Amino acid sequence: MRKTKSARSLYLSEVFSKEDALLFQIRQAALEEGVEHMQISAYEGRILQFLCQALQVSKVVEIGTLYGYSSLMMARVLPEKGKLFTLDLSMERQEKAKRLIQSDPSAKKIQFISGSAMDSLSRLETLGEGPFDMVFIDADKSSYLNYLHWSNRNLKSGGLLVADNTFLFGAVYGELMEGRNKDDTALQVMKQFNQEVANQDVYISTLIPTAEGLTVGIKK
Ligand code: DHB
Ligand code: MG
């Protein structure tokens, strides 16, 4: 599943993807666990940071922590009183993410929540933690519509929706990446997800053509 890098993507990663020691360490942790391909690139992390800063984002829900690479990148550009709730099914992974990130000054802005994302989202909703300035979706692909519908209810007007892997490894435009199995449920879900976010009555939106596809929308 290794991606072949074009000269263009190498250039982008050389110039816009400088990582400090901690980000590098998190990347190494993912590499050791064989899940580095699931983690956003430093270049994509910069896009998240740019969007957070541009829209003065303060309160974020992230669905899919992995080892906290994107959590840390976003937390670093949130204001001092900013807050990022990051959700992941695996408690073990979250414990590792917590240990990795704890030394960073931005760690105090991050709240880790493990367990089923839909359960955690319901709890955040019931507790009245919202409305949120941003939701970043980067978890199980067949649940993206559920995450979108939660976001529709819990993003503030002017809030930012971002979702990774919205090309679904090429499947949405009929070119599934080599080494990838066809997942019909995820494919139907992702097509519907992009259609719904593309509806300009609901979101001002586009799909940024990163290697994986990054759908972005500002809620009307
Ligand atoms: C997978 C998940 C991701 O979020 C990603 O960016 C790449 C791959 C996966 O489930 O394989
Ligand atoms: Mg992803």
Side-chain angles (χ1 to χ4, degrees):
M1 231 131 25
R2 175 154 285 283
K3 292 165 213 150
T4 46
K5 289 214 163 168
S6 65
R8 181 172 71 171
S9 74
L10 278 173
Y11 175 78
L12 286 174
S13 55
E14 271 166 30
V15 181
F16 284 96
S17 307
K18 295 273 179 284
E19 278 178 343
D20 67 0
L22 180 53
L23 287 170
F24 181 77
Q25 202 184 335
I26 299 174
R27 182 166 300 287
Q28 287 308 113
L31 199 62
E32 279 160 26
E33 303 296 333
V35 292
E36 206 256 350
H37 66 284
M38 288 172 69
Q39 187 165 266
I40 63 158
S41 65
Y43 165 70
E44 289 154 346
R46 287 276 196 107
I47 297 177
L48 293 178
Q49 290 188 324
F50 176 88
L51 290 169
C52 287
Q53 187 70 35
L55 290 164
Q56 298 284 291
V57 164
S58 178
K59 211 168 187 188
V60 186
V61 173
E62 175 183 55
I63 309 170
T65 309
L66 204 62
Y67 293 114
Y69 190 95
S70 46
S71 326
L72 179 62
M73 285 200 83
M74 287 188 280
R76 281 179 167 172
V77 297
L78 299 184
E80 272 306 297
K81 290 212 171 335
K83 184 142 197 179
L84 182 143
F85 297 92
T86 186
L87 279 44
D88 202 284
L89 186 59
S90 164
M91 185 185 279
E92 198 186 324
R93 275 185 181 166
Q94 282 214 326
E95 289 302 324
K96 191 160 179 175
K98 253 186 243 181
R99 281 197 300 277
L100 282 161
I101 286 174
Q102 64 188 1
S103 65
D104 194 88
S106 297
K108 63 177 188 298
K109 302 175 201 165
I110 304 175
Q111 186 171 325
F112 293 87
I113 306 173
S114 61
S116 143
M118 275 326 294
D119 289 350
S120 305
L121 291 171
S122 297
R123 220 170 318 119
L124 287 173
E125 192 168 13
T126 313
L127 290 172
E129 290 285 357
F132 298 94
D133 303 321
M134 175 178 182
V135 177
F136 175 46
I137 304 172
D138 191 13
D140 53 315
K141 311 310 167 202
S142 54
S143 299
Y144 270 37
L145 266 179
N146 297 332
Y147 301 148
L148 174 62
H149 296 155
W150 185 89
S151 304
N152 291 345
R153 292 195 304 275
N154 290 279
L155 268 176
K156 70 171 188 186
S157 173
L160 174 67
L161 177 82
V162 182
D164 189 34
N165 308 106
T166 50
F167 284 150
L168 197 66
F169 319 109
V172 295
Y173 50 85
E175 292 177 14
L176 191 63
M177 231 170 81
E178 209 181 318
R180 280 272 164 196
N181 294 322
K182 201 156 183 265
D183 179 340
D184 287 322
T185 306
L187 177 56
Q188 290 321 309
V189 165
M190 199 59 86
K191 281 184 166 170
Q192 182 70 18
F193 177 91
N194 281 328
Q195 286 292 345
E196 290 189 21
V197 182
N199 179 353
Q200 297 263 90
D201 293 337
V202 188
Y203 285 96
I204 306 297
S205 60
T206 189
L207 197 168
I208 302 175
T210 56
E212 298 289 342
L214 197 67
T215 295
V216 295
I218 296 173
K219 196 180 155 202
K220 287 184 83 171

